[in-house]
């Protein structure tokens, strides 16, 4: 009788505990929140950008409010950290307003985010169940355009989103969700034994690509950037680096004597420089397409561009890329220039992001955050972060800590 009673009590206790743990986690979501507010286009962030000290901005409501970036398959997160990218500064400048501008002013900037899921849809737009649960800590990259994330709460897209491993900080996850993932995608094009030159190696993508190139099996990794010493230190570990403000990277004798298999141009302008050196009769620092040399880029020749009409897009992106790709494959340039490829390295599925976060969890890919940050979620902190991003001379990623439970 006593044994039966003890067994009964134990079973009741197990049932109660199981029921408790089976209850879905819930959050109290306030109607108002703090969020960065941009009131106009322009360069003077002191005039157009601020973060209110109190909650004055409507908290986005899942299923009612539409994301300002106009994507589908959204869920609501409590934001932990946001990483900036060139697109954030470009949107604020108004130079691509017809294509990337906000639906109205004031708007909340920010596209790459890490946060805690606080609400998920009952079903996705495709009719299935959301793959995330309330309480998950996730990282999501921007979709369509970088808008809406730099607040205490945000609607993020679930398509390019994944759960963040416990040993990866929210700031690191935000830094990696776009730039780290781009580095992983680009590294897939590097072959074992390649000699690799990364032009623009010190920025958000470059700082991670230096690591990925080595991980991919490159025999020699060189970097071009303003801080050449940093490029040869941990965790980038370039074999050699050049400060382009002091040395012409296209005339380095060692590189001319033993040219690269691939140049990855993250800063813009390397292709015209290669053409100029060829026309001057100088030896090239990269193998020709005929000798299996490659040139990969993510950006036009000038990374600071202005687009207001489709013809601007064709002139800046399509026509130069198409002409170079053709001439370096089947034209006369094949014998003297590398094979040109403009790489679209932001996939719309989460597979590459999953790989990126796994590499970070295994300490094989170290998130690189500019030493001036992470910036605080204040008017002054957010303004300084945007000024640094707009300078195009970041050392890694520009990250803002929105909330921390440390």
């Amino acid at each position: 009788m006593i044994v039966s009673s003890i067994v009964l009590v134990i079973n009741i206790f197990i049932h109660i505990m199981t029921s408790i743990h089976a209850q879905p986690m819930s959050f109290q979501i306030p109607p108002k929140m703090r969020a960065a507010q941009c009131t106009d286009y322009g360069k003077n962030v002191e005039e157009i950008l601020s973060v209110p000290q109190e909650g004055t901005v409507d908290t986005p409501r899942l299923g009612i409010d539409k994301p300002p970036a106009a994507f589908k398959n959204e869920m609501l997160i409590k934001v932990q950290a946001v990483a900036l990218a060139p697109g954030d500064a470009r949107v604020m400048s108004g130079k691509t307003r017809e294509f990337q501008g906000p639906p109205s002013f004031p708007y909340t900037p920010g596209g790459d985010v890490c946060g805690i899921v606080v609400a998920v849809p009952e079903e996705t737009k495709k009719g299935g169940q959301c793959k995330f649960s309330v309480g998950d800590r996730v990282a999501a990259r921007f979709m369509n355009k970088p808008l809406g994330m730099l607040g205490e709460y945000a609607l993020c897209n679930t398509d390019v989103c994944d759960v963040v491993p416990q040993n990866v900080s929210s700031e690191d996850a935000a830094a990696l969700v776009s730039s780290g993932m781009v580095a992983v995608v680009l590294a897939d094009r590097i072959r074992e034994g390649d000699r690799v030159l990364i032009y623009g190696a010190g920025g958000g993508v470059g700082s991670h690509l230096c690591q990925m190139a080595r991980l991919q099996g490159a025999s020699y990794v060189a970097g071009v950037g303003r801080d050449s010493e940093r490029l040869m230190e941990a965790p980038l570990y370039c074999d050699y680096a050049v400060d382009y403000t002091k040395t012409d990277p296209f005339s380095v004798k060692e590189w001319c004597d033993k040219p690269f298999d691939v140049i990855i141009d993250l800063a813009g302008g390397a292709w015209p420089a290669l053409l100029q050196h060829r026309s001057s009769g100088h030896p090239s620092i990269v193998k020709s397409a005929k000798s299996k040399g490659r040139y990969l880029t993510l950006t036009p020749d000038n990374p600071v561009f202005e687009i207001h009409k489709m013809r601007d897009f064709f002139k800046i992106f399509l026509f130069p890329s198409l002409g170079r790709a053709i001439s370096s494959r089947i034209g006369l340039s094949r014998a003297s220039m590398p094979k040109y490829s403009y790489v679209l390295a932001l996939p719309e599925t989460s597979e590459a992001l999953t790989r990126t976060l796994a590499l970070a969890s295994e300490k094989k890919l170290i998130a690189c955050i500019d030493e001036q940050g992470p910036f605080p979620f204040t008017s002054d902190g957010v303004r300084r972060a945007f000024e640094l991003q707009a300078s195009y001379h970041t050392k890694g990623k520009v990250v803002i800590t929105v909330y921390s439970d440390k």
Side-chain angles (χ1 to χ4, degrees):
M1 183 71 177
I2 294 176
V3 174
S4 299
S5 299
I6 293 173
V7 171
L8 178 62
V9 170
I10 291 174
N11 286 334
I12 292 174
F13 176 78
I14 292 173
H15 176 73
I16 292 172
M17 293 304 296
T18 303
S19 299
I20 291 173
H21 288 293
Q23 295 298 316
M25 187 181 296
S26 61
F27 290 84
Q28 288 293 110
I29 303 172
K32 298 285 185 178
M33 67 172 184
R34 295 175 64 232
Q37 294 288 275
C38 186
T39 57
D40 201 354
Y41 296 121
K43 293 182 178 180
N44 191 342
V45 294
E46 295 287 338
E47 295 180 355
I48 65 174
L49 184 62
S50 64
V51 179
Q53 293 185 352
E54 303 294 333
T56 58
V57 179
D58 290 337
T59 303
R61 298 162 295 176
L62 182 64
I64 299 175
D65 297 321
K66 294 182 179 180
F71 52 73
K72 298 179 180 180
N73 297 328
E74 64 269 22
M75 64 183 176
L76 185 64
I77 61 171
K78 181 177 176 62
V79 177
Q80 308 283 294
V82 170
L84 302 184
D88 293 281
R90 190 182 309 120
V91 169
M92 192 171 291
S93 73
K95 291 181 177 180
T96 56
R97 66 185 69 186
E98 288 82 3
F99 299 92
Q100 292 184 304
S104 62
F105 288 102
Y107 78 92
T108 299
D112 296 333
V113 66
C114 178
I116 308 295
V117 178
V118 296
V120 297
E122 293 184 2
E123 63 178 32
T124 66
K125 297 293 191 297
K126 297 179 180 180
Q129 188 174 12
C130 180
K131 60 182 178 180
F132 300 105
S133 302
V134 171
D136 285 344
R137 186 167 62 106
V138 299
R141 81 159 176 86
F142 79 94
M143 287 291 285
N144 300 335
K145 45 191 173 181
L147 297 174
M149 300 302 151
L150 195 48
E152 292 180 315
Y153 293 87
L155 293 170
C156 76
N157 180 267
T158 61
D159 292 334
V160 189
C161 179
D162 205 357
V163 174
V164 178
Q166 287 187 352
N167 64 337
V168 177
S169 73
S170 296
E171 287 79 8
D172 285 357
L176 291 167
V177 69
S178 278
S179 294
M181 180 171 61
V182 169
V184 168
V185 172
L186 279 173
D188 287 340
R189 293 173 175 252
I190 296 173
R191 302 163 188 165
E192 187 170 355
D194 273 349
R195 288 172 54 83
V196 180
L197 175 65
I198 301 172
Y199 195 73
V205 175
S207 295
H208 301 105
L209 184 57
C210 291
Q211 302 174 59
M212 289 304 305
R214 183 74 69 200
L215 198 61
Q216 195 71 6
S219 63
Y220 181 88
V221 179
V224 175
R226 295 183 74 179
D227 189 346
S228 55
E229 290 185 6
R230 171 179 171 263
L231 300 184
M232 292 188 287
E233 296 172 350
L236 280 67
Y237 288 125
C238 286
D239 294 295
Y240 190 69
V242 165
D243 179 351
Y244 64 89
T245 66
K246 299 177 181 178
T247 303
D248 177 10
F250 302 94
S251 299
V252 176
K253 185 178 185 305
E254 178 189 348
W255 297 350
C256 293
D257 292 341
K258 194 173 182 181
F260 293 97
D261 296 286
V262 56
I263 287 182
I264 304 177
D265 181 6
L266 305 174
W271 187 267
L274 286 171
L275 287 172
Q276 182 179 354
H277 274 259
R278 184 189 68 169
S279 63
S280 301
H282 296 296
S284 179
I285 63 170
V286 61
K287 295 177 181 178
S288 67
K290 191 175 181 180
S291 299
K292 300 184 178 179
R294 291 106 66 205
Y295 176 99
L296 311 176
T297 188
L298 307 170
T299 183
D301 294 335
N302 186 349
V304 183
F305 52 83
E306 193 161 351
I307 295 178
H308 297 290
K309 298 179 180 179
M310 282 305 298
R311 69 181 180 212
D312 298 329
F313 173 82
F314 293 145
K315 182 179 179 180
I316 294 171
F317 285 93
L318 183 61
F319 295 150
S321 298
L322 190 59
R324 293 167 183 177
I326 294 172
S327 65
S328 64
R329 283 167 171 80
I330 60 176
L332 296 175
S333 295
R334 186 171 183 272
S336 58
M337 295 290 286
K339 183 170 69 174
Y340 180 100
S341 296
Y342 193 100
V343 183
L344 301 176
L346 280 174
E348 296 191 357
T349 62
S350 59
E351 184 270 335
L353 176 57
T354 302
R355 291 167 54 200
T356 303
L357 294 174
L359 289 168
S361 180
E362 296 164 4
K363 305 300 182 185
K364 294 178 179 178
L365 177 62
I366 307 301
C368 295
I369 296 175
D370 191 284
E371 60 190 5
Q372 298 182 50
F375 291 89
F377 188 50
T378 61
S379 290
D380 178 67
V382 169
R383 287 167 181 165
R384 286 190 290 121
F386 268 88
E387 286 174 342
L388 176 59
Q389 183 61 62
S391 74
Y392 286 87
H393 295 302
T394 65
K395 297 178 181 180
K397 292 293 292 182
V398 178
V399 176
I400 300 164
T401 300
V402 176
Y403 173 82
S404 176
D405 54 6
K406 295 180 181 178

